[in-house]
Amino acid sequence: MFLTKLARAFMRSAAYERLFLLKNPWDLAMVLWIPLATILLVWWIFSQTQITDLPIGVMDNDRGPVANTAIRYLDASPSLTVKQLYHTKFEAEAAILQRDIYALVVIPENFSNRINSSQPAPIVLQVNAQYGTHSGIIQTSVQGVIGTLSAGVEIQRLIKQGMSPSQAAIAYSPISIQRTSLFNAVNNYQQFLGSTVIPALLHILAMVIGATTIGRELRDKTLGQWYRYIDTDTADDLSRLTDSEQRLATKDAMNKETSNKESVSLNTINTKTSLSILLFGLLGKYFWPILAYSLWAALALWLATPQDNIALEAMLVTYMSFTLLMILSFCLGAIFTLGSFSLRIGLSSTGFISVPSYAFAGVTYPYIAISDNAKYWADVLPLTHYLKLHIAQLQMAAPVAISLPIIYGLMLATLITLLVSTLLTKRALAHPERWGAR
Protein backbone atom coordinates (compact mmCIF):
# COMPACT_ATOMS: atom_id res chain seq x y z
CA MET A 1 0.00 0.00 0.00
CA PHE A 2 2.82 2.38 0.87
CA LEU A 3 4.67 1.62 -2.36
CA THR A 4 1.45 2.13 -4.28
CA LYS A 5 1.08 5.56 -2.68
CA LEU A 6 4.66 6.47 -3.64
CA ALA A 7 4.09 5.31 -7.22
CA ARG A 8 0.88 7.34 -7.34
CA ALA A 9 2.73 10.43 -6.11
CA PHE A 10 5.35 9.96 -8.82
CA MET A 11 2.81 9.46 -11.58
CA ARG A 12 0.56 12.34 -10.52
CA SER A 13 3.55 14.67 -10.25
CA ALA A 14 4.76 13.62 -13.71
CA ALA A 15 1.25 14.17 -15.13
CA TYR A 16 1.08 17.58 -13.44
CA GLU A 17 4.38 18.61 -15.00
CA ARG A 18 3.50 17.16 -18.39
CA LEU A 19 0.37 19.28 -18.57
CA PHE A 20 2.32 22.39 -17.60
CA LEU A 21 4.96 21.78 -20.28
CA LEU A 22 2.33 21.22 -22.96
CA LYS A 23 0.68 24.54 -22.14
CA ASN A 24 3.92 26.53 -21.78
CA PRO A 25 5.96 26.32 -25.00
CA TRP A 26 8.99 28.21 -23.64
CA ASP A 27 9.42 25.79 -20.75
CA LEU A 28 8.95 22.89 -23.16
CA ALA A 29 11.60 24.42 -25.42
CA MET A 30 14.10 24.40 -22.55
CA VAL A 31 13.54 20.65 -22.26
CA LEU A 32 13.38 19.73 -25.96
CA TRP A 33 14.33 22.20 -28.65
CA ILE A 34 16.94 24.43 -27.05
CA PRO A 35 19.29 21.59 -25.94
CA LEU A 36 18.86 19.87 -29.31
CA ALA A 37 19.67 23.11 -31.14
CA THR A 38 22.64 23.64 -28.81
CA ILE A 39 24.13 20.24 -29.60
CA LEU A 40 23.68 20.57 -33.35
CA LEU A 41 24.95 24.16 -33.43
CA VAL A 42 28.12 23.37 -31.48
CA TRP A 43 28.80 20.34 -33.65
CA TRP A 44 28.31 22.42 -36.77
CA ILE A 45 30.66 25.13 -35.46
CA PHE A 46 33.42 22.53 -35.02
CA SER A 47 32.56 20.66 -38.23
CA GLN A 48 35.90 21.83 -39.64
CA THR A 49 37.94 19.65 -37.35
CA GLN A 50 41.28 21.35 -37.96
CA ILE A 51 42.34 24.99 -38.05
CA THR A 52 43.80 25.77 -41.45
CA ASP A 53 44.65 28.78 -43.61
CA LEU A 54 45.15 31.29 -40.84
CA PRO A 55 45.79 34.61 -42.64
CA ILE A 56 49.18 36.22 -42.20
CA GLY A 57 50.93 39.09 -43.94
CA VAL A 58 54.47 39.37 -45.23
CA MET A 59 56.65 42.46 -45.53
CA ASP A 60 59.45 41.56 -47.92
CA ASN A 61 62.21 44.15 -47.68
CA ASP A 62 64.72 41.95 -49.49
CA ARG A 63 62.93 40.61 -52.60
CA GLY A 64 65.73 38.13 -53.15
CA PRO A 65 65.47 34.46 -54.24
CA VAL A 66 65.70 33.04 -50.72
CA ALA A 67 63.03 35.49 -49.51
CA ASN A 68 60.75 34.42 -52.36
CA THR A 69 61.28 30.80 -51.40
CA ALA A 70 60.40 31.58 -47.78
CA ILE A 71 57.14 33.24 -48.87
CA ARG A 72 56.23 30.22 -51.03
CA TYR A 73 56.93 27.85 -48.13
CA LEU A 74 54.80 29.93 -45.77
CA ASP A 75 51.88 29.95 -48.19
CA ALA A 76 52.25 26.20 -48.78
CA SER A 77 51.91 25.43 -45.08
CA PRO A 78 48.41 23.93 -44.43
CA SER A 79 47.95 26.05 -41.31
CA LEU A 80 48.86 29.35 -42.97
CA THR A 81 47.94 31.44 -45.94
CA VAL A 82 49.82 34.54 -47.04
CA LYS A 83 46.93 36.91 -47.52
CA GLN A 84 48.87 39.94 -48.70
CA LEU A 85 52.30 41.44 -49.15
CA TYR A 86 52.66 44.75 -47.34
CA HIS A 87 55.07 47.55 -48.18
CA THR A 88 54.77 49.73 -45.06
CA LYS A 89 54.44 48.92 -41.42
CA PHE A 90 51.40 51.21 -41.15
CA GLU A 91 49.43 49.10 -43.64
CA ALA A 92 50.40 45.94 -41.79
CA GLU A 93 49.48 47.41 -38.40
CA ALA A 94 46.06 48.47 -39.70
CA ALA A 95 45.46 44.98 -41.08
CA ILE A 96 46.30 43.39 -37.70
CA LEU A 97 44.02 45.80 -35.83
CA GLN A 98 41.18 45.04 -38.24
CA ARG A 99 41.87 41.29 -37.89
CA ASP A 100 42.49 40.89 -41.59
CA ILE A 101 45.67 39.07 -40.56
CA TYR A 102 46.85 37.58 -37.28
CA ALA A 103 50.59 37.89 -37.80
CA LEU A 104 53.20 39.66 -39.87
CA VAL A 105 56.43 38.08 -41.13
CA VAL A 106 59.10 40.70 -41.77
CA ILE A 107 61.98 39.71 -44.08
CA PRO A 108 64.81 42.24 -43.55
CA GLU A 109 66.92 43.92 -46.19
CA ASN A 110 69.95 42.04 -47.56
CA PHE A 111 68.40 38.80 -46.28
CA SER A 112 69.58 36.71 -49.24
CA ASN A 113 73.03 38.29 -49.29
CA ARG A 114 73.61 37.63 -45.60
CA ILE A 115 72.65 33.99 -46.06
CA ASN A 116 74.95 33.60 -49.03
CA SER A 117 77.80 35.13 -47.04
CA SER A 118 77.10 32.80 -44.05
CA GLN A 119 76.01 35.61 -41.78
CA PRO A 120 73.02 35.56 -39.37
CA ALA A 121 69.80 36.48 -41.15
CA PRO A 122 66.90 36.58 -38.69
CA ILE A 123 63.29 36.78 -39.84
CA VAL A 124 60.96 38.77 -37.58
CA LEU A 125 57.53 37.33 -36.67
CA GLN A 126 55.04 39.78 -35.17
CA VAL A 127 52.00 37.86 -33.97
CA ASN A 128 48.76 38.98 -32.34
CA ALA A 129 49.12 37.03 -29.09
CA GLN A 130 45.71 38.23 -27.87
CA TYR A 131 44.27 35.17 -29.63
CA GLY A 132 46.05 32.31 -27.91
CA THR A 133 45.04 29.47 -30.23
CA HIS A 134 45.73 31.46 -33.38
CA SER A 135 49.08 32.70 -32.17
CA GLY A 136 50.23 29.27 -31.01
CA ILE A 137 49.44 27.65 -34.35
CA ILE A 138 51.02 30.49 -36.33
CA GLN A 139 54.21 30.49 -34.27
CA THR A 140 54.58 26.72 -34.56
CA SER A 141 53.92 26.74 -38.30
CA VAL A 142 56.22 29.67 -39.07
CA GLN A 143 58.96 28.14 -36.93
CA GLY A 144 58.61 24.86 -38.81
CA VAL A 145 58.69 26.53 -42.21
CA ILE A 146 61.70 28.70 -41.42
CA GLY A 147 63.46 25.76 -39.76
CA THR A 148 62.97 23.69 -42.90
CA LEU A 149 64.21 26.53 -45.09
CA SER A 150 67.21 27.13 -42.85
CA ALA A 151 68.10 23.45 -42.87
CA GLY A 152 67.91 23.33 -46.65
CA VAL A 153 70.16 26.37 -47.03
CA GLU A 154 72.75 25.04 -44.58
CA ILE A 155 72.78 21.55 -46.07
CA GLN A 156 73.30 22.98 -49.55
CA ARG A 157 76.20 25.06 -48.24
CA LEU A 158 77.82 21.98 -46.68
CA ILE A 159 77.33 19.97 -49.85
CA LYS A 160 79.09 22.69 -51.84
CA GLN A 161 81.98 22.29 -49.44
CA GLY A 162 82.31 18.60 -50.37
CA MET A 163 80.13 16.76 -47.87
CA SER A 164 77.71 14.06 -48.95
CA PRO A 165 74.00 14.87 -48.47
CA SER A 166 73.66 12.37 -45.58
CA GLN A 167 76.73 13.73 -43.79
CA ALA A 168 75.54 17.28 -44.35
CA ALA A 169 72.15 16.47 -42.80
CA ILE A 170 73.81 14.89 -39.75
CA ALA A 171 76.29 17.72 -39.40
CA TYR A 172 73.55 20.32 -39.52
CA SER A 173 71.34 18.62 -36.93
CA PRO A 174 73.13 15.87 -35.00
CA ILE A 175 70.34 15.73 -32.40
CA SER A 176 66.76 15.40 -33.59
CA ILE A 177 63.41 15.00 -31.87
CA GLN A 178 61.07 12.15 -32.69
CA ARG A 179 57.62 13.34 -31.67
CA THR A 180 54.77 10.91 -31.09
CA SER A 181 51.27 12.21 -30.33
CA LEU A 182 49.61 9.72 -28.00
CA PHE A 183 46.07 11.12 -28.16
CA ASN A 184 44.24 13.25 -30.73
CA ALA A 185 47.20 12.99 -33.04
CA VAL A 186 45.58 14.98 -35.85
CA ASN A 187 44.64 17.95 -33.61
CA ASN A 188 40.93 17.37 -34.11
CA TYR A 189 39.24 20.39 -32.53
CA GLN A 190 35.83 18.77 -32.84
CA GLN A 191 37.09 16.05 -30.54
CA PHE A 192 39.14 18.39 -28.34
CA LEU A 193 36.65 21.23 -27.83
CA GLY A 194 33.33 20.30 -29.43
CA SER A 195 32.77 17.10 -27.49
CA THR A 196 33.54 18.80 -24.16
CA VAL A 197 31.71 22.09 -24.75
CA ILE A 198 28.39 20.27 -25.28
CA PRO A 199 28.29 18.72 -21.76
CA ALA A 200 29.20 22.11 -20.29
CA LEU A 201 26.30 23.83 -22.10
CA LEU A 202 23.83 21.08 -21.20
CA HIS A 203 25.02 21.37 -17.59
CA ILE A 204 24.07 25.07 -17.64
CA LEU A 205 20.65 24.40 -19.19
CA ALA A 206 19.96 21.57 -16.73
CA MET A 207 20.71 23.78 -13.73
CA VAL A 208 18.38 26.46 -15.11
CA ILE A 209 15.60 23.88 -15.52
CA GLY A 210 16.28 22.59 -12.01
CA ALA A 211 15.85 26.09 -10.62
CA THR A 212 12.74 27.03 -12.61
CA THR A 213 10.82 23.75 -12.29
CA ILE A 214 10.42 24.05 -8.53
CA GLY A 215 11.03 27.79 -8.42
CA ARG A 216 7.88 28.67 -10.35
CA GLU A 217 5.82 26.86 -7.70
CA LEU A 218 7.33 29.16 -5.09
CA ARG A 219 6.98 32.23 -7.27
CA ASP A 220 3.32 31.54 -8.09
CA LYS A 221 2.50 30.33 -4.55
CA THR A 222 1.34 26.92 -5.82
CA LEU A 223 3.80 24.69 -3.99
CA GLY A 224 1.15 23.56 -1.51
CA GLN A 225 -1.35 22.88 -4.26
CA TRP A 226 1.20 20.72 -6.06
CA TYR A 227 1.90 18.76 -2.87
CA ARG A 228 -1.79 18.23 -2.09
CA TYR A 229 -2.35 17.00 -5.62
CA ILE A 230 0.41 14.36 -5.49
CA ASP A 231 -0.46 13.32 -1.91
CA THR A 232 -4.12 12.63 -2.56
CA ASP A 233 -5.46 9.15 -1.94
CA THR A 234 -8.14 9.34 -4.61
CA ALA A 235 -7.69 7.15 -7.66
CA ASP A 236 -8.32 9.78 -10.31
CA ASP A 237 -7.51 9.17 -13.93
CA LEU A 238 -3.89 10.31 -14.28
CA SER A 239 -4.17 10.83 -18.00
CA ARG A 240 -6.09 14.05 -17.45
CA LEU A 241 -6.53 16.66 -14.73
CA THR A 242 -9.74 18.37 -13.73
CA ASP A 243 -10.39 21.92 -14.85
CA SER A 244 -9.38 23.34 -11.49
CA GLU A 245 -6.16 21.28 -11.48
CA GLN A 246 -5.35 22.49 -14.98
CA ARG A 247 -5.56 26.01 -13.72
CA LEU A 248 -3.19 25.05 -10.91
CA ALA A 249 -0.74 23.50 -13.37
CA THR A 250 -0.76 26.37 -15.83
CA LYS A 251 -0.79 29.08 -13.18
CA ASP A 252 -3.46 31.01 -15.05
CA ALA A 253 -6.04 31.35 -12.26
CA MET A 254 -3.97 32.53 -9.30
CA ASN A 255 -5.06 35.47 -7.20
CA LYS A 256 -4.36 36.88 -3.81
CA GLU A 257 -7.42 35.40 -2.14
CA THR A 258 -6.48 31.91 -3.28
CA SER A 259 -2.93 32.44 -2.00
CA ASN A 260 -4.19 33.42 1.43
CA LYS A 261 -6.41 30.35 1.61
CA GLU A 262 -3.46 28.27 0.52
CA SER A 263 -1.33 29.62 3.34
CA VAL A 264 -3.97 28.95 5.97
CA SER A 265 -4.55 25.45 4.68
CA LEU A 266 -0.84 24.64 4.63
CA ASN A 267 -0.36 25.86 8.16
CA THR A 268 -2.70 23.10 9.26
CA ILE A 269 -1.09 20.27 7.25
CA ASN A 270 2.63 21.06 7.12
CA THR A 271 3.32 18.82 10.09
CA LYS A 272 2.01 15.83 8.07
CA THR A 273 4.31 16.39 5.10
CA SER A 274 5.86 13.08 4.06
CA LEU A 275 9.50 13.05 2.98
CA SER A 276 8.99 9.92 0.91
CA ILE A 277 6.01 11.45 -0.91
CA LEU A 278 8.05 14.60 -1.54
CA LEU A 279 11.00 12.57 -2.83
CA PHE A 280 8.91 10.65 -5.35
CA GLY A 281 6.99 13.80 -6.19
CA LEU A 282 10.21 15.59 -7.06
CA LEU A 283 11.34 12.62 -9.14
CA GLY A 284 8.04 12.79 -11.02
CA LYS A 285 8.32 16.55 -11.43
CA TYR A 286 11.77 16.20 -12.99
CA PHE A 287 10.94 13.00 -14.87
CA TRP A 288 10.44 14.66 -18.27
CA PRO A 289 13.62 16.79 -18.12
CA ILE A 290 15.61 13.75 -16.95
CA LEU A 291 14.20 11.64 -19.77
CA ALA A 292 14.84 14.32 -22.39
CA TYR A 293 18.36 15.12 -21.26
CA SER A 294 19.21 11.42 -21.13
CA LEU A 295 18.39 11.32 -24.82
CA TRP A 296 20.43 14.46 -25.49
CA ALA A 297 23.36 12.90 -23.62
CA ALA A 298 23.15 9.85 -25.86
CA LEU A 299 23.06 12.06 -28.96
CA ALA A 300 26.04 14.12 -27.78
CA LEU A 301 28.13 11.01 -27.09
CA TRP A 302 27.15 9.44 -30.39
CA LEU A 303 28.35 12.53 -32.23
CA ALA A 304 31.50 12.83 -30.14
CA THR A 305 32.89 9.35 -30.63
CA PRO A 306 33.99 7.25 -33.57
CA GLN A 307 31.94 4.20 -32.69
CA ASP A 308 34.43 1.62 -33.98
CA ASN A 309 37.28 2.88 -31.79
CA ILE A 310 35.55 3.14 -28.40
CA ALA A 311 34.96 0.12 -26.16
CA LEU A 312 31.35 -0.57 -25.25
CA GLU A 313 32.04 -0.45 -21.50
CA ALA A 314 33.71 2.95 -21.89
CA MET A 315 30.65 4.27 -23.74
CA LEU A 316 28.28 2.90 -21.10
CA VAL A 317 30.32 4.33 -18.23
CA THR A 318 30.52 7.74 -19.90
CA TYR A 319 26.81 7.77 -20.69
CA MET A 320 25.88 6.81 -17.14
CA SER A 321 28.14 9.54 -15.79
CA PHE A 322 26.70 12.07 -18.24
CA THR A 323 23.17 11.20 -17.10
CA LEU A 324 24.19 11.47 -13.45
CA LEU A 325 25.68 14.89 -14.18
CA MET A 326 22.36 16.04 -15.65
CA ILE A 327 20.34 14.76 -12.67
CA LEU A 328 22.85 16.35 -10.31
CA SER A 329 22.48 19.62 -12.21
CA PHE A 330 18.69 19.52 -11.81
CA CYS A 331 19.06 18.94 -8.08
CA LEU A 332 21.61 21.72 -7.66
CA GLY A 333 19.33 24.17 -9.43
CA ALA A 334 16.46 23.17 -7.13
CA ILE A 335 18.67 23.53 -4.05
CA PHE A 336 19.71 27.08 -4.91
CA THR A 337 16.11 28.15 -5.46
CA LEU A 338 14.60 26.36 -2.47
CA GLY A 339 17.39 27.49 -0.20
CA SER A 340 16.79 31.15 -1.04
CA PHE A 341 12.98 30.98 -1.48
CA SER A 342 13.53 33.04 -4.65
CA LEU A 343 13.56 31.99 -8.29
CA ARG A 344 15.58 35.07 -9.21
CA ILE A 345 18.32 34.28 -6.68
CA GLY A 346 18.23 30.63 -7.68
CA LEU A 347 18.78 31.46 -11.35
CA SER A 348 21.54 33.92 -10.49
CA SER A 349 23.28 31.28 -8.37
CA THR A 350 23.06 28.64 -11.07
CA GLY A 351 24.57 31.07 -13.56
CA PHE A 352 27.37 31.96 -11.16
CA ILE A 353 28.19 28.29 -10.59
CA SER A 354 27.64 26.69 -13.98
CA VAL A 355 28.62 29.27 -16.59
CA PRO A 356 32.34 29.61 -15.69
CA SER A 357 32.72 25.96 -14.70
CA TYR A 358 34.20 25.01 -18.09
CA ALA A 359 37.08 27.42 -17.50
CA PHE A 360 38.03 25.52 -14.33
CA ALA A 361 37.68 22.06 -15.84
CA GLY A 362 41.25 21.87 -17.17
CA VAL A 363 40.32 21.40 -20.84
CA THR A 364 41.51 24.67 -22.39
CA TYR A 365 43.74 25.83 -19.52
CA PRO A 366 45.79 23.14 -17.74
CA TYR A 367 44.41 22.24 -14.33
CA ILE A 368 47.89 21.76 -12.91
CA ALA A 369 48.81 25.36 -13.75
CA ILE A 370 45.95 27.14 -11.99
CA SER A 371 46.31 28.56 -8.48
CA ASP A 372 45.56 26.50 -5.38
CA ASN A 373 42.38 28.45 -4.61
CA ALA A 374 41.16 27.89 -8.16
CA LYS A 375 41.90 24.17 -7.78
CA TYR A 376 39.75 24.00 -4.65
CA TRP A 377 36.90 25.63 -6.54
CA ALA A 378 37.41 23.37 -9.58
CA ASP A 379 37.33 20.27 -7.38
CA VAL A 380 33.91 21.28 -6.02
CA LEU A 381 32.37 21.64 -9.47
CA PRO A 382 30.86 18.40 -10.84
CA LEU A 383 31.66 19.32 -14.44
CA THR A 384 35.40 19.14 -13.69
CA HIS A 385 35.16 15.50 -12.66
CA TYR A 386 32.83 14.50 -15.47
CA LEU A 387 35.06 16.01 -18.17
CA LYS A 388 38.04 14.26 -16.64
CA LEU A 389 36.18 10.97 -17.07
CA HIS A 390 34.91 11.98 -20.51
CA ILE A 391 38.39 12.69 -21.84
CA ALA A 392 39.93 9.62 -20.21
CA GLN A 393 37.33 7.20 -21.59
CA LEU A 394 36.49 8.63 -25.01
CA GLN A 395 39.74 10.28 -26.07
CA MET A 396 42.50 8.46 -24.22
CA ALA A 397 40.99 4.93 -24.09
CA ALA A 398 41.90 4.63 -20.41
CA PRO A 399 40.83 1.55 -18.44
CA VAL A 400 37.37 1.89 -16.90
CA ALA A 401 38.83 1.18 -13.44
CA ILE A 402 40.64 4.53 -13.52
CA SER A 403 37.30 6.37 -13.72
CA LEU A 404 35.41 4.33 -11.11
CA PRO A 405 36.07 6.84 -8.27
CA ILE A 406 34.48 9.58 -10.38
CA ILE A 407 31.43 7.42 -11.08
CA TYR A 408 30.98 6.62 -7.40
CA GLY A 409 31.46 10.28 -6.54
CA LEU A 410 28.78 11.39 -9.02
CA MET A 411 26.39 8.75 -7.67
CA LEU A 412 26.94 9.86 -4.09
CA ALA A 413 26.64 13.54 -4.96
CA THR A 414 23.40 12.89 -6.85
CA LEU A 415 21.85 11.01 -3.94
CA ILE A 416 22.92 13.68 -1.44
CA THR A 417 21.60 16.57 -3.51
CA LEU A 418 18.32 14.74 -4.14
CA LEU A 419 17.89 14.25 -0.39
CA VAL A 420 18.80 17.88 0.31
CA SER A 421 16.28 19.02 -2.32
CA THR A 422 13.59 16.96 -0.60
CA LEU A 423 14.41 18.41 2.82
CA LEU A 424 14.42 21.95 1.45
CA THR A 425 11.04 21.34 -0.23
CA LYS A 426 9.63 20.19 3.12
CA ARG A 427 11.01 23.34 4.73
CA ALA A 428 9.49 25.48 1.98
CA LEU A 429 6.08 23.88 2.54
CA ALA A 430 6.32 24.81 6.20
CA HIS A 431 6.84 28.52 5.41
CA PRO A 432 4.10 29.65 3.00
CA GLU A 433 4.58 33.22 4.14
CA ARG A 434 7.85 33.31 2.18
CA TRP A 435 6.27 32.24 -1.12
CA GLY A 436 5.83 34.67 -3.96
CA ALA A 437 9.37 36.07 -4.14
CA ARG A 438 10.44 36.79 -7.68
Side-chain angles (χ1 to χ4, degrees), residues 120-293:
I123 287 180
V124 179
L125 172 63
Q126 299 175 349
V127 61
N128 186 355
Q130 181 66 35
Y131 299 92
T133 302
H134 302 62
S135 98
I137 294 175
I138 290 174
Q139 290 182 60
T140 301
S141 300
V142 171
Q143 184 177 10
V145 167
I146 300 305
T148 301
L149 178 64
S150 177
V153 170
E154 180 64 16
I155 290 173
Q156 287 182 359
R157 187 181 67 83
L158 293 176
I159 291 175
K160 289 180 180 179
Q161 294 178 356
M163 282 190 181
S164 66
S166 59
Q167 290 177 331
I170 295 174
Y172 171 74
S173 181
I175 301 176
S176 61
I177 299 176
Q178 181 178 354
R179 293 183 293 184
T180 303
S181 298
L182 299 178
F183 313 109
N184 197 14
V186 296
N187 293 325
N188 186 330
Y189 278 83
Q190 194 174 64
Q191 178 182 353
F192 166 55
L193 284 178
S195 67
T196 55
V197 167
I198 290 176
L201 294 176
L202 292 182
H203 171 59
I204 296 172
L205 294 175
M207 289 192 70
V208 171
I209 291 176
T212 56
T213 299
I214 196 67
R216 62 174 179 259
E217 306 292 350
L218 288 173
R219 179 195 61 192
D220 298 335
K221 302 182 181 181
T222 56
L223 185 63
Q225 294 171 343
W226 166 74
Y227 177 74
R228 281 204 303 273
Y229 177 72
I230 67 172
D231 194 30
T232 181
D233 289 328
T234 59
D236 294 341
D237 184 2
L238 296 178
S239 64
R240 67 180 188 276
L241 302 178
T242 65
D243 291 340
S244 61
E245 288 164 345
Q246 289 182 19
R247 289 194 297 272
L248 297 179
T250 58
K251 318 296 188 300
D252 292 332
M254 295 307 300
N255 55 48
K256 186 174 181 180
E257 181 181 356
T258 305
S259 301
N260 292 334
K261 291 180 180 179
E262 177 70 18
S263 299
V264 173
S265 175
L266 275 176
N267 285 331
T268 62
I269 67 170
N270 59 37
T271 57
K272 300 179 181 180
T273 304
S274 169
L275 278 178
S276 56
I277 293 294
L278 277 178
L279 174 61
F280 279 78
L282 286 175
L283 290 174
K285 196 167 184 60
Y286 287 99
F287 171 74
W288 302 110
I290 291 174
L291 178 61
Y293 275 68

Side-chain angles (χ1 to χ4, degrees), residues 368-426:
I368 197 172
I370 62 178
S371 65
D372 291 339
N373 290 334
K375 287 181 181 179
Y376 298 147
W377 179 247
D379 291 338
V380 173
L381 300 174
L383 182 65
T384 301
H385 303 285
Y386 168 75
L387 290 182
K388 182 178 179 181
L389 179 146
H390 179 102
I391 293 173
Q393 294 301 318
L394 301 186
Q395 300 181 16
M396 300 174 64
V400 172
I402 291 180
S403 300
L404 288 180
I406 297 178
I407 300 173
Y408 297 147
L410 288 173
M411 288 181 178
L412 181 61
T414 302
L415 292 175
I416 291 175
T417 53
L418 185 58
L419 178 60
V420 172
S421 300
T422 305
L423 293 173
L424 288 177
T425 305
K426 180 178 175 67

